[in-house]
Every structure is written in C-alpha cells, then in structure tokens.
Amino acid sequence: MVRLGGSPVLLWASCLGLCLGLGLVRVVEAAACEPIRIPMCKPMPWNMTKMPNHLHHSTQDNAVLAIEQYEGLVGINCSPVLLFFLCAMYAPICTIDFQHEPIKPCKSVCERARDGCEPVMRRYNHTWPENLACEEFPVYDRGVCISPEAIVTADAPVPDLSVHSSNNNCRNLGGDSCRCPALKLTQKVYLKNNYNYVIRAKVKEVRNKCHDVATTVEVKDVLKSSLVNIPKETVTLHTSSACLCPEIRTNEEYVIMGYEDEERARLLLVEGSIAVKWKDRLGKRIKNWDLKLRQDRRKGRSGQQNGEKRIQPRDTAVASRQRNKRRNAKQARQ
C-alpha cells in the first residue's frame, strides 16, 4: 500500500490497486502499460511501467543504458532510497488512473537520495544531476507522489506514519531495521574518504523528523573544515534518512567526521561518516593524518610539474649534441 499525497494506494502483483480516498481502483495491464524489464528495477513493489518515462526515454532499452550509470552508487548504498527514487524516475509505476501522467517520487525521497549520495559523488568531482533536481518534485501533502515508507504488501496493515507529538519521532521508521555498517577509524580510511569536516563535539539532542534525523551537537574544537563555517557553539548535523549512521548517543563526546552540503551550508552526518568517542590522543593523530593528506597532494602536484621540467634538460642535451655534430662536420669540410 502506498500513500499518494496523503491517500493510500495498493500496489502488489496481481492484487495491486490505487486508493485515492474515493475507493479502490485495480491496476490493469492496459495497452499503455508494459511489464518492467529494467533489471535494476525488478525488485520494486510495482511490476508495470509506461514509456516515455519522466526523463523522456522512449523505450525501456534506452532507460536501461541510462540508469546503469548509477549502479556503482546503488552498490555502495550511499542512500537507502536511491534505487527506489531512480526506478520511480526511469520505470515509473503505471496504473489505469495515471496512464497520461506517471506518478513522480516525492520531493523528500529525492532529497534523501541526493543528500546521502552527493557527498560521495563530490569526491569524484561530480554533482547531483540537474535532470534530477529535487526542487522539481511534488511535496507529499500537496500533490500525488510516492515514497518507499508507505509501501507494504497488499495483505499487510497500513503503516502508521504519524508523528509523536511528544518527541517528534516517526513510527515504523528506523528502530530495529537500521543496521549501520562498521567503519573503523584508521589512517587508510581517513585518507581515502577525504572528509570535509572533523570536529570534537558533545551530542546534545537527536531529533527524528521521519525522513531527516537532526543531531544537535556542541562543538568543542574544529580539527578540520572546508567551505561551511563551523562556530564553536551549538550546530546541527543532518542525516537524510530515518536511520542515524554512524550511531551516536546523547551526552557523549565524539570526534565526528563527515561531509558538507555546500549549497545549503549544512553539515552532513551520513553513511560513510565516522563518530568515535573522544580521546585526547585522537586530536593529534587526526592532525598528523591531515598533514600527510596535504603533503601527498602537494607531492602529486609537484610531481606533475617536475615531470614537465624533466623533459627540458633532455631536449637541451639533444640540441647540444646536434650543434656539436654540425660544428664537427663544418671543421671536417674546412
């Protein structure tokens, strides 16, 4: 069952259907709909799609070639909703009521996929694609859209996604389903992941806003920063997922390493980030690692320049031998 703009929708296999507050509508294999043949999207909880898709691919064969460029990002699980979001774009659900205008993913789904994966993309000098700009997608309570949290099998109860008024936590999100991958802090990991910021901070509060966990910390020391200013006061770390990874506890002091959302001037605490309980020796160790990182970069640039300069002496030697050869030949003629 899926909630479209606040209304529930049934989706699974032979008993898929659409409920928009007016009643249940069967999903039929209409002429405009076709079975999903995109391998990456076979696990999705809908089995019919329609071309052209939201990205104007006229056939599924064309869509396959385009979606496969994201296979690496999906493989590293930079965002738990990335595959759902991509398939909702490249193989949109096709129902009898939405044959002319396929259903788009919700804006919040796009933002969670982008915020989780763009920091990884930036490490390789890529940014979130313009044709997937999150500003273009409908907001959950203002239009028809789909999100993964509202999908269950047809015989399961409708999930309760209401928000607790007391602590702002979403039911049925996170909890036991969250499994954070273990990531040990070593020099190799630090140099490889190239974090944008490293801070020593005490965790004051963790707020779950359904699709965005906000962690409030009191910054004790800034060991590394990039473009986003980090004051030594209370700041918020954003996690665009119902699961907070890495796991942290309130009233504990950590060294936290993560990435930045430069456009919105936000600090991100996403999968791939590290939070380790603070120990005095960590500060010195991290500063040494960061020094090595900068030195390696300088050596890389210097090596390129020296490589260019090494060509010049060889060229000079060749020119000198040619001049000597001409001089000797001239003397022989005389």
Side-chain angles (χ1 to χ4, degrees):
M1 184 168 285
V2 172
R3 294 180 183 273
L4 299 184
S7 300
V9 179
L10 286 173
L11 285 183
W12 260 115
S14 60
C15 56
L16 303 185
L18 182 61
C19 227
L20 294 175
L22 301 175
L24 186 65
V25 180
R26 282 186 305 113
V27 177
V28 298
E29 194 169 340
C33 298
E34 57 187 83
I36 291 179
R37 293 183 286 104
I38 300 174
M40 287 176 63
C41 298
K42 287 292 185 72
M44 290 298 104
W46 63 89
N47 59 4
M48 304 298 292
T49 188
K50 179 182 182 298
M51 295 289 133
N53 59 21
H54 294 303
L55 297 169
H56 311 296
H57 297 113
S58 57
T59 67
Q60 289 195 60
D61 291 335
N62 292 338
V64 167
L65 296 176
I67 196 174
E68 282 181 346
Q69 66 181 309
Y70 299 101
E71 200 166 8
L73 277 179
V74 172
I76 64 173
N77 196 29
C78 54
S79 169
V81 300
L82 177 62
L83 183 59
F84 179 97
F85 171 71
L86 292 173
C87 289
M89 292 297 294
Y90 286 88
I93 177 177
C94 183
T95 74
I96 192 172
D97 286 78
F98 288 88
Q99 290 181 19
H100 299 293
E101 187 66 33
I103 305 167
K104 286 187 175 183
C106 298
K107 181 179 180 181
S108 62
V109 180
C110 177
E111 290 174 338
R112 290 156 61 196
R114 179 196 63 193
D115 292 352
C117 296
E118 189 170 30
V120 179
M121 298 171 70
R122 287 185 182 278
R123 279 186 255 162
Y124 300 95
N125 298 320
H126 294 288
T127 57
W128 190 252
E130 291 184 4
N131 62 353
L132 299 178
C134 298
E135 293 73 19
E136 306 298 324
F137 294 95
V139 177
Y140 178 77
D141 57 356
R142 299 178 195 166
V144 176
C145 62
I146 57 173
S147 65
E149 286 77 19
I151 298 182
V152 295
T153 55
D155 57 353
V158 180
D160 181 2
L161 298 181
S162 59
V163 177
H164 293 285
S165 58
S166 59
N167 57 11
N168 225 26
N169 286 329
C170 286
R171 299 171 186 163
N172 293 328
L173 293 180
D176 294 337
S177 62
C178 294
R179 295 289 183 269
C180 297
L183 194 59
K184 189 176 181 181
L185 177 57
T186 63
Q187 179 177 319
K188 182 178 179 181
V189 169
Y190 183 85
L191 298 179
K192 177 183 177 183
N193 289 356
N194 192 19
Y195 295 108
N196 296 138
Y197 75 87
V198 180
I199 58 175
R200 172 191 174 189
K202 184 177 182 179
V203 180
K204 307 295 288 184
E205 184 184 15
V206 178
R207 301 188 308 278
N208 192 327
K209 301 178 181 178
C210 297
H211 306 321
D212 189 357
V213 179
T215 304
T216 304
V217 301
E218 181 185 349
V219 178
K220 302 289 187 180
D221 193 13
V222 179
L223 304 176
K224 178 183 179 181
S225 64
S226 294
L227 298 175
V228 176
N229 179 51
I230 307 176
K232 287 188 179 181
E233 56 187 46
T234 300
V235 299
T236 301
L237 312 179
H238 296 270
T239 304
S240 297
S241 169
C243 296
L244 176 58
C245 290
E247 296 177 342
I248 55 178
R249 299 178 181 274
T250 55
N251 298 320
E252 296 280 0
E253 195 168 308
Y254 294 88
V255 57
I256 302 174
M257 308 179 184
Y259 301 98
E260 298 175 347
D261 181 348
E262 179 186 344
E263 292 182 1
R264 290 184 284 180
R266 301 199 309 179
L267 300 178
L268 304 179
L269 187 64
V270 295
E271 190 166 325
S273 301
I274 288 182
V276 179
K277 286 189 178 181
W278 173 258
K279 295 179 182 177
D280 289 338
R281 65 175 182 271
L282 277 176
K284 185 176 181 180
R285 186 186 305 173
I286 291 167
K287 288 180 179 179
N288 288 337
W289 291 348
D290 201 52
L291 178 62
K292 177 174 172 45
L293 187 62
R294 294 196 300 269
Q295 288 174 343
D296 288 346
R297 287 176 178 171
R298 285 197 294 268
K299 286 179 181 177
R301 290 193 295 267
S302 176
Q304 291 179 348
Q305 295 171 354
N306 289 339
E308 295 172 356
K309 292 177 180 178
R310 278 196 295 269
I311 296 174
Q312 296 173 0
R314 180 179 180 276
D315 292 343
T316 303
V318 170
S320 177
R321 286 197 297 272
Q322 289 175 344
R323 284 196 299 272
N324 290 336
K325 187 176 181 181
R326 287 195 297 270
R327 188 183 304 110
N328 292 337
K330 184 176 179 181
Q331 290 175 352
R333 286 195 300 271
Q334 292 174 350

